[in-house]
Amino acid sequence: IMAKLKKRISPLDLDQVIDYKDLSLLRSFTTDYGKIVSRRTTGVTRKQQNKIKKAIKQARILGLFPFVAKKSL
């Protein structure tokens, strides 16, 4: 017997703007130690994950977001 696959719904709206200045949104996609959480864990689409990754990296380079958290965010 095959189990029915449940279609995952992305936690973000499909047309939501992902910006490097929105640090509270970016924090929700990183671990306490500053690692970017996989899309398998968060449930976002591939396109959204790519935008999140780019936004986090841009925020890190500009000094808005830590590369490695000294203590939990």
Side-chain angles (χ1 to χ4, degrees):
I1 299 172
M2 289 184 58
K4 287 187 179 181
L5 292 175
K6 227 168 110 177
K7 189 170 182 180
R8 287 193 192 169
I9 300 170
S10 176
L12 299 174
D13 295 331
L14 292 174
D15 58 345
Q16 184 172 350
V17 177
I18 299 167
D19 192 28
Y20 69 93
K21 292 175 274 185
D22 190 357
L23 299 180
S24 59
L25 175 73
L26 299 181
R27 273 195 194 102
S28 62
F29 292 101
T30 55
T31 63
D32 292 340
Y33 297 105
K35 282 188 157 188
I36 300 172
V37 181
S38 69
R39 79 182 196 98
R40 184 176 171 193
T41 308
T42 57
V44 295
T45 65
R46 188 179 48 150
K47 227 181 226 183
Q48 289 171 331
Q49 179 72 13
N50 208 18
K51 287 180 183 177
I52 290 166
K53 177 187 73 171
K54 285 183 179 178
I56 290 173
K57 288 184 177 187
Q58 188 174 7
R60 283 176 174 169
I61 289 170
L62 292 172
L64 302 173
F65 206 74
F67 279 91
V68 179
K70 295 207 163 74
K71 48 188 168 178
S72 65
L73 297 170

